[in-house]
Amino acid sequence: MVGGLFIIITSQNYLKKVVGLAIFQTAVFVFFVSLAKVLDGTAPILTKMANAYSNPLPHVLILTAIVVGVATSALGLALVLQIYKNYETIEEKEIESLELKSDK
Amino acid sequence: MSNSFLIILGIITPLFAALFSYVCRYNNNLRDSFGIIGGLITFVISLKIFHGIQNNEVFQITFFTLFDGVDFAFKVSTLGSIFSLVASSLWILASIYTIGYMRGAGEKNQTRFVIFYSIAIHAALAIAWSGNLLVLFIFYEILTFSTFPLVGHKQNAESQSAGRLYLSILVGTSLIFFLPAIFWIWLETGTLDFQDGGILINKFPAENLSFLIAMLVFGIGKAAIMPIHRWLPAAMVAPTPVSALLHAVAVVKAGVFSFLVVIIYIVGPDFLLQTKSSDWLVWLACFTIMASSIIAITKDDLKARLAYSTISQLSYIILGAALASSLAIKGASFHIITHALGKITLFFCAGAIYVTAHIKKVSDLKGMGYKLPLIFFAYTLGALSIIGVPPFIGSWSKFYLIMGSIEREFIIVAIILGISSLLNIYYLLQPVVIGFTQNSKKEIKLIKAPLTVWPPLITGLGCLVFFFYANYFLNNISGVIVN
Amino acid sequence: MNFLLINFFLISLLLVTTFFIFKTTSLISVVALTGAFTLLCSAIYVNLDAVDVAFTEAAVGSGISTILMVMAAAKLPEGKKNKLINLFPSIILAVAISLILIIIIANLPLLGDPNAPIHLHVVPEYLKESKDFFHIPNVVTNILASYRGFDTLGETIVIFTAGLGVIALLTSNTLNRKTNFKKNKKK
Amino acid sequence: MRDKISSSPVLSVVSKILFAPIIIFGLYVQFHGDYGPGGGFQAGVIVAAAFILYSMIFGLSKGETLVPIMINRYLMCVGVLLYAGVGIVSIFLDGMYLDYNVLSSDPSTGQHIGIILVELGVGITVATVMIALYHSFASFGEINE
Amino acid sequence: MFDIFLDDAPALVVVLPLLISAIIAFMPSKIWPWIISIITLLLHLFLSLHLLKEISVSGLIIYEFGNWEPPWGISFKIDGVNIGLQLLFSIFVLVSTFYSRKIFLNEIDYRDSGKAYSLWLLAVGSLNGIILTNDIFNLFVFLEISALASISLIALGAGQNRKALLAAFNYLIIGAIGATFYVIGVGFAYAMTGTLNMNDLVIQLAQYSDGQLAIFAGMSFMLIGLMVKAAIFPVHIWLPPAYSYAPSAVSTLLAALATKTILYFFVRLLYEVFIIYPSYLSLFLDFVLYPLSLLAIFVGTVIAIYQDDIKKLLAFSSIAQIGYITLAFSLKDHSGVASGFVHIFNHALIKGGLFMAVGYFAILYKDRVTLNSLKGFGYKYPITSFALLICGLSLIGLPLTNGFISKLYLFQALYTNQMYFSIALVAVSSALAVVYFWKIVEQMWFSEIKFKSEKEDAYIYLPIWIITISIIVFGLYSTPIIEFSNLSADYLISGYQN
């Protein structure tokens, strides 16, 4: 998780930032789901054999969150594409210098 | 006409004058006449209110509540009636003078000028008649913003930077000090209404009073005490009628008026005398008087010299308020009138000299006394009044101020006032001396602008005449202080 | 015990993958590694008994989003090796956050403890009602569609918003009327 | 790159064979979500994957004939409307928003109906949005040629 | 029949815009999306008024989705705290939608107006969800809908200036990090309590006294996430570019409402849930929020002075104004919280009006509005300019405008808490506000330039003037705002004192 955050901050490539974001989020989801685990339990699908189930609520929340994450990265990718079209680069440093030039 | 209606009429007349001037902006004569008409109307109303106050009538009107304990209300105080009388009467003369000056100097954007001039008068009248401190503050700000276009009238780099300085000092101080001070008073007392004897006594912690006084004196930047006086000389880039407005009719007068009102009706002189919280201010005022007089001597530009003279004269009033004894406050209140009359005369003359001969500097005045005898005559009258020579009205206020300082046993202050009068003589009469004694070799073309000559003559003679009728005002002023 | 071992193994794989994503500059490789990362995650989910989540992660995370990333990467230039910016502050930040997290997680109830508050409040009701009232064995579906149906509506709308946003961004007339991809490239 | 793929006979044949089973699997996941893992999201993604596979191999324009862009976009809306509409219907039937109990005389059956409808809405939206995303990404930069 | 719907007003105010957005998304028409949006928002306003009526009778509405009792299901809660905000929201959204039509026609290709209005309604619905929701995870969902919708809208500003793309991208990355932090926080809170409902959370937190460290950490993560979203000082960097490069109508909506709704939830979380641990709360308020607010006020104002681009200037001034609000919220007493709410209301109106006017100028000037480009606008477009002037004076906080009322109550709150240094800082920063605002006025009226002007468009200046007049009216007659704010503070603070 921290690695993802690390990538976001240090990378200069916009696509890599999106990837870093995805990793960051996924890591958080893994942590969240691990809260739901019950030792010796099974998946929360009711059967006659099992008597302990893992907690289904975090699963539901994370389902939602995964979809949200995908939506975010899709939008991010679209933005990266548009940025490339307009700037012809997706490196942060180069765009900054381009903008500095155009301001003058 | 009911009393409350009079107030409304008096306050909105200048606004209507502004409106009509805008409507008739294509007809110069018609446009400029509204200033005079409006001045006459407000003058009559002010006079009526002045007499009504003398007869213990109550002039007050309340519109609505702004927040707990504070209404949007007007209520004329004794001091306010005097200030409104000064402002409205001088507006008539200033309007006449403006016509002569603006046309003679060929300024642009005359319509805008006339409109904002009227709005400034509106604000000044509303300040005079405001019923509580917040209403006063509102119109104080309106006055600042409406005079900004006048100060920056010429729209060149110099006037723009002067305008910025003007605005930033005035608005800045009022937002940083004045408004918080108002909030403070409101939080401690729950009201902001003007009352005889003040509202703070028994409610406000006495140990914090000097702090509050400091916030007020620095917050009311229009009173131009040092070190926040810089805006006043800077604003000299404006046309002379504006200087007259600033120095005599509205702006600085509104400043010292506000301060006096706060001392008399909010803090209460008794409370001040008990706590002696304003004694430090006496010394600051003395310092301002001396320092600005000395600076005035070094200035060669006539208007700049007059500006520093104003700063020193304003501090007389603050000094009076800070002394807080009944005689000193009487003198301070009366000084509003005397200084207005004297200073407007001087500025009218300076402007007239500029329009007719295009001279700004004192050293260039050589020999002009013979060419412009009427103007120089008026100038002399005004200067003598400000110096405080007896047959002129200015001597009264100085007399009372000196008496007040002796009453409070500030002997040194009395001495300083004397020294300052000597300095006055030097820097105010020097132009006259130069004008009549030295001869210039330069040929100077004169432009005729008769409308700029008569107003200073009238005010100059006024300085002389009212000396004998001073009781007419002084009786009224003595009602200011209820000891 | 097996459970913990497998978990430990998968998580160390995750760390290795993350490190390589960080190192790699070629965008396509980054994307491929990300796909691997999410697949590993879904394996972890299975191990944690979260089959629904694992299914979704496999389908959505490593399926669709990898496809999208590949397509984007195909249209983008190769990544350049840049100097790392903000390296030092981000290391500090990363270490600090990790430390905080470790301390906190040490404070949480043990992994898999059936008596943690999380398993005692609210959820037992879900399990009971699913059996007695819904007659639907997959509790996740019940909660998703019924108890927390409003969240799921929101989630559907998130997806819809993203779709709409991408359509507006990539194919709309507003953004594409001035310039054109190919022309820009030639310049 | 695409030319190479579509000219390869192996790929095109395999994908044609795979197409139908993927869709059926998707539908299975969609409606079997009550009993095993799965549901609207997963199903939507799987169905979308089938279409994406198809248009990857045979080209965008071919894919477009399968699911026209505009229809796909309208279906996006229909999915959301279906979900939100179930809520509105339950209000009509004097229940709270998204109260499935009132959809049928037996609350349990009502829940079943509600869940199935809602999951269908989710499935439609997810599938169509994914196709739309693919479309936008694939066609980006080429539409103005 | 209509009554059936009225009973479900809490759900409908949120669902209706979302539902309608799906209908209008791909409409090929140029005008119908707008008309439908207006009708929807009229209904929305009607429903909000109905809610107000209900609240004035009962004082509290808990709306249970799917008829599942909380904490099992998701619920909305409407009480004195949010009813005022809900009403303001309804009215402002309606006005700004009315305003947006001509602006969108200029800045966005007409063929995209369906999509734009669909995104607009999505943003509206989700922001409204943030106001009403009583479930900490549901909030995350709404946060994300609103973030995605507004990011897309901001990116549409790239039709004017490509920097909008960068702004949107930064917002996306930073916003997503913030949201993920929030989710971590929710995870911790859930792990310790097993519930997501805010009311139940309070009850459960009171039971589990051990493992407090995890709870504090959870709280901190949630707060950090929300601070990112609300653009509280050190994490505000996404806001200025996002507001300034978005299409003008969008900046209006975002500046007026987006951060406000999140701030509202922020304070609700603080005073309704975290109140369980007063020592933690006061630690956070005194040593985190309070200094950050002061910094925000100072830094925001100073940076605003140096801006040349008017929309950027306004955005930085927003940072400072958010600082005022959080400063008020950090005071821990009734007067502080109430004054924070007063400023939420007033600042929403002021900034809304300013962005509207500046947005119109951008259309008239056909480029980004910088200080230089405003030369002579005061004479050519007097109606809009005058509105701008009034809004600006209100921003400075001069009497007779609602900005003054805000300042009055803020001063009062600070004074009763004896925070003299803050008073001085607020006073200085409002004086500095004169500097940056006066630069605009000077350009508009005191510089001469000749150019061809168009006639002002009533469709645009009418909404601007509605806002302006409300600014004056609330300056003169502030009772409604004060009462709503006091009500909010009553609800929040009563928990604190017990």
Side-chain angles (χ1 to χ4, degrees):
Chain A
M1 180 188 113
V2 178
L5 200 59
F6 196 70
I7 291 175
I8 299 175
I9 300 173
T10 51
S11 298
Q12 294 191 26
N13 188 301
Y14 281 160
L15 186 71
K16 264 184 112 172
K17 284 193 185 221
V18 177
V19 169
L21 186 64
I23 289 175
F24 175 48
Q25 288 180 330
T26 315
V28 172
F29 301 157
V30 170
F31 156 72
F32 210 116
V33 169
S34 73
L35 294 175
K37 171 74 182 171
V38 177
L39 275 185
D40 304 328
T42 62
I45 295 172
L46 305 176
T47 52
K48 280 171 190 159
M49 287 141 3
N51 42 13
Y53 302 100
S54 64
N55 189 331
L57 191 57
H59 299 179
V60 174
L61 303 184
I62 291 312
L63 272 183
T64 309
I66 287 176
V67 174
V68 168
V70 169
T72 312
S73 36
L75 200 61
L77 288 174
L79 276 169
V80 172
L81 280 181
Q82 272 288 359
I83 289 174
Y84 177 59
K85 179 178 157 183
N86 281 285
Y87 288 89
E88 294 172 53
T89 174
I90 51 167
E91 306 288 327
E92 196 175 8
K93 272 273 160 60
E94 292 175 19
I95 287 176
E96 272 171 14
S97 59
L98 269 180
E99 281 303 334
L100 275 181
K101 255 186 232 162
S102 71
D103 279 350
K104 283 169 193 168
Chain B
M1 274 195 279
S2 76
N3 288 345
S4 53
F5 180 71
L6 269 183
I7 295 181
I8 297 177
L9 190 68
I11 288 172
I12 63 171
T13 305
L15 283 184
F16 272 107
L19 183 69
F20 288 136
S21 316
Y22 179 73
V23 172
C24 306
R25 61 190 178 280
Y26 299 114
N27 183 337
N28 287 354
N29 291 332
L30 200 57
R31 176 194 69 196
D32 293 342
S33 67
F34 287 113
I36 304 170
I37 298 170
L40 284 173
I41 296 173
T42 46
F43 178 64
V44 171
I45 293 170
S46 307
L47 207 60
K48 237 179 136 128
I49 289 179
F50 183 75
H51 281 292
I53 291 282
Q54 271 189 324
N55 301 330
N56 292 326
E57 279 181 56
V58 177
F59 292 86
Q60 108 180 79
I61 179 168
T62 303
F63 290 93
F64 47 82
T65 304
L66 282 169
F67 49 87
D68 288 346
V70 179
D71 298 331
F72 192 83
F74 293 98
K75 184 178 179 217
V76 185
S77 60
T78 322
L79 202 57
S81 70
I82 296 171
F83 179 47
S84 69
L85 197 64
V86 174
S88 60
S89 58
L90 293 183
W91 187 26
I92 309 171
L93 295 171
S95 297
I96 300 171
Y97 181 78
T98 304
I99 301 171
Y101 182 90
M102 295 302 274
R103 294 190 187 172
E107 297 273 352
K108 286 184 207 163
N109 286 331
Q110 292 189 16
T111 309
R112 184 177 75 189
F113 187 87
V114 175
I115 290 172
F116 279 102
Y117 212 101
S118 303
I119 294 177
I121 298 286
H122 154 77
L125 286 179
I127 289 175
W129 295 339
S130 53
N132 60 50
L133 200 51
L134 191 74
V135 177
L136 187 143
F137 179 80
I138 292 168
F139 288 99
Y140 182 89
E141 291 302 320
I142 291 178
L143 184 59
T144 312
F145 284 112
S146 64
T147 44
F148 173 79
L150 301 175
V151 172
H153 183 79
K154 287 184 177 153
Q155 294 190 344
N156 51 24
E158 192 195 359
S159 70
Q160 206 166 39
S161 68
R164 277 183 196 155
L165 185 69
Y166 175 79
L167 198 74
S168 51
I169 292 183
L170 288 188
V171 178
T173 51
S174 66
L175 285 179
I176 296 175
F177 298 119
F178 196 14
L179 194 58
I182 293 176
F183 285 150
W184 194 3
I185 295 169
W186 178 69
L187 288 168
E188 290 289 352
T189 63
T191 176
L192 289 174
D193 290 342
F194 295 141
Q195 274 167 26
D196 292 336
I199 55 175
L200 289 189
I201 199 155
N202 296 332
K203 284 182 185 160
F204 197 86
E207 64 273 16
N208 289 339
L209 188 62
S210 38
F211 199 61
L212 180 73
I213 299 282
M215 281 174 85
L216 286 168
V217 75
F218 292 120
I220 303 175
K222 290 195 173 84
I225 191 135
M226 282 185 177
I228 47 166
H229 65 285
R230 278 290 308 144
W231 61 272
L232 193 52
M236 283 299 113
V237 296
T240 310
V242 178
S243 312
L245 179 82
L246 290 177
H247 290 259
V249 183
V251 178
V252 294
K253 289 296 171 306
V256 285
F257 170 77
S258 306
F259 189 67
L260 267 180
V261 158
V262 169
I263 294 293
I264 298 172
Y265 298 116
I266 295 285
V267 181
D270 294 346
F271 194 31
L272 267 188
L273 282 175
Q274 278 170 25
T275 56
K276 301 204 185 306
S277 327
S278 62
D279 287 1
W280 64 272
L281 186 57
V282 172
W283 301 114
L284 183 63
C286 285
F287 171 76
T288 308
I289 292 171
M290 292 309 292
S292 56
S293 300
I294 290 166
I295 295 173
I297 291 173
T298 65
K299 294 283 173 188
D300 193 29
D301 187 298
L302 184 54
K303 276 171 78 178
R305 183 177 285 197
L306 293 181
Y308 277 100
S309 151
T310 303
I311 295 171
S312 114
Q313 297 290 323
L314 291 176
S315 285
Y316 281 33
I317 300 173
I318 293 193
L319 174 72
L323 286 171
S325 70
S326 63
L327 280 175
I329 286 183
K330 200 170 174 181
S333 311
F334 196 54
H335 201 66
I336 291 183
I337 305 175
T338 60
H339 177 247
L341 267 176
K343 212 21 119 5
I344 203 169
T345 313
L346 298 185
F347 270 106
F348 281 167
C349 292
I353 293 170
Y354 175 70
V355 171
T356 50
H358 283 283
I359 291 175
K360 279 184 176 174
K361 293 194 170 162
V362 176
S363 50
D364 291 345
L365 281 174
K366 293 168 184 166
M368 294 307 294
Y370 301 106
K371 290 179 180 162
L372 303 168
L374 284 177
I375 292 174
F376 269 77
F377 176 60
Y379 181 91
T380 315
L381 293 181
L384 288 174
S385 171
I386 287 193
I387 292 162
V389 180
F392 293 93
I393 190 170
S395 56
W396 283 116
S397 52
K398 243 176 207 176
F399 170 73
Y400 278 111
L401 279 173
I402 293 174
M403 292 300 287
S405 55
I406 293 170
E407 188 182 36
R408 285 290 312 280
E409 296 174 350
F410 280 104
I411 305 298
I412 301 174
V413 174
I415 295 171
I416 286 175
L417 288 177
I419 296 173
S420 131
S421 296
L422 290 178
L423 292 172
N424 280 346
I425 295 175
Y426 180 72
Y427 66 78
L428 285 180
L429 286 184
Q430 192 196 20
V432 183
V433 174
I434 291 178
F436 283 106
T437 56
Q438 300 183 5
N439 282 322
S440 156
K441 289 156 196 165
K442 268 190 265 177
E443 271 299 307
I444 293 165
K445 263 192 194 168
L446 294 182
I447 301 165
K448 279 198 174 173
L451 282 179
T452 61
V453 177
W454 297 112
L457 268 182
I458 296 172
T459 51
L461 289 173
C463 293
L464 187 59
V465 172
F466 283 119
F467 175 78
F468 304 103
Y469 295 97
N471 267 341
Y472 179 67
F473 298 104
L474 281 172
N475 279 341
N476 206 330
I477 286 174
S478 50
V480 165
I481 303 138
V482 191
N483 274 347
Chain C
M1 221 50 236
N2 264 347
F3 154 75
L4 278 179
L5 275 179
I6 297 171
N7 215 10
F8 184 74
F9 173 66
L10 288 174
I11 285 179
S12 37
L13 274 184
L14 273 189
L15 284 177
V16 174
T17 327
T18 317
F19 179 71
F20 278 105
I21 293 176
F22 172 65
K23 284 285 283 185
T24 319
T25 48
S26 155
L27 289 183
I28 291 281
S29 330
V30 167
V31 170
L33 283 171
T34 316
F37 183 90
T38 42
L39 265 180
L40 279 173
C41 283
S42 56
I44 296 180
Y45 290 141
V46 173
N47 194 36
L48 290 170
D49 293 337
V51 278
D52 275 274
V53 182
F55 198 166
T56 317
E57 183 71 53
V60 177
S62 42
I64 287 293
S65 71
T66 310
I67 291 178
L68 293 180
M69 282 188 183
V70 167
M71 304 199 52
K75 290 186 189 287
L76 293 170
E78 272 307 287
K80 290 178 191 161
K81 201 169 171 77
N82 272 321
K83 251 200 265 168
L84 295 173
I85 47 167
N86 303 334
L87 189 62
F88 192 61
S90 39
I91 287 177
I92 292 179
L93 190 72
V95 170
I97 293 183
S98 329
L99 271 179
I100 294 172
L101 284 178
I102 288 168
I103 292 171
I104 296 162
I105 290 172
N107 242 289
L108 282 178
L110 275 180
L111 181 65
D113 178 7
N115 288 324
I118 186 173
H119 302 304
L120 298 179
H121 190 55
V122 177
V123 165
E125 197 79 4
Y126 286 150
L127 294 172
K128 200 168 131 269
E129 277 200 9
S130 279
K131 209 172 181 181
D132 304 340
F133 173 67
F134 283 95
H135 313 297
I136 295 176
N138 190 349
V139 190
V140 172
T141 308
N142 287 337
I143 302 175
L144 188 81
S146 189
Y147 289 102
R148 297 190 72 85
F150 194 59
D151 265 358
T152 312
L153 173 63
E155 168 191 3
T156 316
I157 289 170
V158 167
I159 276 287
F160 174 74
T161 312
L164 191 61
V166 171
I167 290 172
L169 268 179
L170 294 186
T171 63
S172 77
N173 303 304
T174 310
L175 297 189
N176 294 318
R177 61 183 169 190
K178 280 186 186 163
T179 48
N180 161 317
F181 204 28
K182 282 277 165 73
K183 260 188 211 160
N184 260 4
K185 250 187 181 170
K186 273 175 202 163
K187 255 188 258 168
Chain D
M1 196 169 86
R2 187 169 296 117
D3 299 335
K4 247 187 211 165
I5 295 177
S6 51
S7 60
S8 154
V10 178
L11 273 176
S12 59
V13 169
V14 168
S15 65
K16 266 185 188 165
I17 295 172
L18 271 180
F19 187 73
I22 295 180
I23 299 256
I24 289 174
F25 179 59
L27 292 177
Y28 167 79
V29 171
Q30 169 83 47
F31 295 108
H32 196 257
D34 300 358
Y35 304 99
F41 290 114
Q42 297 89 334
V45 172
I46 290 166
V47 171
F51 286 102
I52 290 172
L53 180 69
Y54 187 84
S55 37
M56 249 185 172
I57 304 230
F58 297 105
L60 265 185
S61 47
K62 257 280 176 79
E64 226 172 89
T65 51
L66 204 62
V67 188
I69 294 184
M70 277 326 282
I71 296 214
N72 187 43
R73 288 185 181 177
Y74 287 132
L75 278 174
M76 271 167 73
C77 305
V78 167
V80 174
L81 289 178
L82 183 59
Y83 201 136
V86 171
I88 301 287
V89 168
S90 63
I91 289 182
F92 254 121
L93 297 173
D94 211 14
M96 308 294 261
Y97 191 79
L98 291 177
D99 185 355
Y100 311 136
N101 289 348
V102 293
L103 292 178
S104 160
S105 50
D106 174 28
S108 179
T109 324
Q111 288 289 349
H112 274 274
I113 296 173
I115 290 174
I116 287 172
L117 281 177
V118 161
E119 290 275 14
L120 191 61
V122 174
I124 293 174
T125 310
V126 171
T128 48
V129 167
M130 293 306 165
I131 296 172
L133 286 182
Y134 173 78
H135 239 286
S136 312
F137 277 93
S139 62
F140 180 67
E142 287 160 25
I143 46 167
N144 290 341
E145 276 172 41
Chain E
M1 196 207 94
F2 211 61
D3 288 352
I4 297 181
F5 284 100
L6 281 185
D7 288 342
D8 295 282
L12 285 176
V13 285
V14 174
V15 174
L16 204 62
L18 300 177
L19 189 79
I20 301 294
S21 77
I23 294 177
I24 63 173
F26 296 108
M27 264 189 189
S29 158
K30 198 167 145 184
I31 183 151
W32 275 103
W34 179 69
I35 295 178
I36 295 175
S37 309
I38 289 281
I39 295 171
T40 312
L41 293 173
L42 275 172
L43 271 176
H44 186 269
L45 177 60
F46 173 75
L47 289 170
S48 297
L49 287 172
H50 174 75
L51 282 178
L52 175 68
K53 206 178 81 191
E54 292 276 296
I55 285 295
S56 60
V57 176
S58 64
L60 174 72
I61 300 175
I62 300 272
Y63 187 86
E64 297 154 359
F65 280 92
N67 211 3
W68 296 111
E69 263 175 63
W72 289 278
I74 294 171
S75 64
F76 274 5
K77 182 162 107 178
I78 302 157
D79 56 12
V81 188
N82 51 19
I83 185 66
L85 197 61
Q86 170 72 26
L87 210 60
L88 170 87
F89 184 87
S90 256
I91 295 168
F92 190 87
V93 163
L94 183 62
V95 174
S96 63
T97 310
F98 190 79
Y99 161 85
S100 68
R101 181 174 135 64
K102 285 283 171 78
I103 305 287
F104 270 166
L105 278 182
N106 272 287
E107 293 189 339
I108 291 177
D109 194 283
Y110 66 93
R111 281 165 291 185
D112 292 337
S113 67
K115 287 166 207 144
Y117 275 107
S118 179
L119 288 168
W120 178 272
L121 285 184
L122 285 167
V124 167
S126 52
L127 288 176
N128 202 348
I130 295 174
I131 298 179
L132 297 183
T133 190
N134 198 23
D135 187 285
I136 50 177
F137 193 79
N138 192 238
L139 178 89
F140 166 72
V141 175
F142 281 127
L143 270 182
E144 285 304 286
I145 302 177
S146 70
L148 291 183
S150 42
I151 287 166
S152 312
L153 283 169
I154 290 168
L156 282 179
Q160 309 284 313
N161 188 324
R162 60 183 184 173
K163 279 188 198 165
L165 293 172
L166 299 180
F169 187 76
N170 276 334
Y171 183 16
L172 180 111
I173 296 287
I174 297 174
I177 293 175
T180 312
F181 265 95
Y182 180 77
V183 172
I184 301 175
V186 171
F188 283 133
Y190 179 68
M192 297 313 296
T193 61
T195 185
L196 294 169
N197 180 282
M198 279 174 60
N199 290 20
D200 195 38
L201 199 61
V202 182
I203 301 167
Q204 298 299 324
L205 281 177
Q207 281 177 14
Y208 298 106
S209 53
D210 52 339
Q212 283 195 350
L213 186 63
I215 289 175
F216 292 157
M219 289 173 179
S220 310
F221 275 114
M222 282 165 92
L223 291 177
I224 292 172
L226 288 175
M227 278 164 77
V228 172
K229 289 278 183 180
I232 292 170
F233 171 64
V235 280
H236 67 279
I237 35 176
W238 59 269
L239 185 141
Y243 280 14
S244 56
Y245 293 110
S248 299
V250 179
S251 347
T252 305
L253 182 73
L254 291 182
L257 297 175
T259 45
K260 306 292 177 307
T261 53
I262 295 162
L263 270 178
Y264 147 79
F265 190 85
F266 183 72
V267 72
R268 178 154 212 162
L269 206 58
L270 284 179
Y271 284 100
E272 221 165 63
V273 179
F274 297 163
I275 211 78
I276 296 282
Y277 301 106
S279 55
Y280 172 80
L281 182 67
S282 63
L283 203 70
F284 174 77
L285 292 178
D286 289 346
F287 293 102
V288 181
L289 198 58
Y290 173 68
L292 286 183
S293 315
L294 294 186
L295 271 175
I297 294 171
F298 185 69
V299 175
T301 316
V302 170
I303 296 180
I305 290 176
Y306 290 102
Q307 293 304 312
D308 191 40
D309 185 301
I310 305 286
K311 276 172 97 177
K312 257 203 179 135
L313 187 155
L314 293 180
F316 274 106
S317 119
S318 278
I319 305 279
Q321 303 286 331
I322 290 171
Y324 286 138
I325 298 173
T326 48
L327 174 65
F329 283 153
S330 73
L331 291 182
K332 289 181 289 195
D333 67 348
H334 184 282
S335 60
V337 176
S339 72
F341 274 98
V342 171
H343 200 54
I344 284 188
F345 286 111
N346 289 336
H347 183 245
L349 290 175
I350 297 169
K351 261 299 145 51
L354 282 172
F355 268 108
M356 279 182 177
V358 172
Y360 186 32
F361 283 157
I363 301 260
L364 291 169
Y365 189 64
K366 300 193 176 57
D367 196 0
R368 296 192 63 71
V369 185
T370 57
L371 277 176
N372 264 332
S373 59
L374 281 177
K375 280 198 169 115
F377 268 48
Y379 296 111
K380 300 285 184 181
Y381 308 113
I383 305 175
T384 317
S385 306
F386 201 58
L388 181 80
L389 179 69
I390 292 176
C391 295
L393 292 179
S394 183
L395 184 70
I396 297 168
L398 291 185
L400 301 185
T401 60
N402 63 355
F404 174 75
I405 302 293
S406 294
K407 203 183 275 180
L408 175 76
Y409 282 90
L410 183 58
F411 271 119
Q412 188 185 11
L414 289 171
Y415 184 74
T416 43
N417 284 288
Q418 302 186 323
M419 292 178 166
Y420 303 117
F421 176 70
S422 314
I423 293 181
L425 189 79
V426 171
V428 170
S429 108
S430 68
L432 288 177
V434 181
V435 176
Y436 62 71
F437 180 67
W438 201 254
K439 273 160 70 178
I440 302 176
V441 173
E442 219 175 43
Q443 292 295 329
M444 281 166 61
W445 274 285
F446 300 109
S447 47
E448 283 185 45
I449 187 166
K450 297 261 187 311
F451 60 91
K452 256 176 131 181
S453 60
E454 299 161 31
K455 214 170 159 239
E456 286 174 88
D457 191 339
Y459 274 101
I460 303 183
Y461 69 68
L462 260 181
I464 298 178
W465 268 99
I466 291 176
I467 300 291
T468 310
I469 288 172
S470 70
I471 283 175
I472 296 175
V473 167
F474 286 132
L476 298 179
Y477 180 70
S478 54
T479 321
I481 286 183
I482 304 298
E483 269 181 10
F484 275 129
S485 309
N486 277 334
L487 196 65
S488 308
D490 284 344
Y491 272 83
L492 287 177
I493 291 298
S494 61
Y496 187 71
Q497 276 152 357
N498 291 338

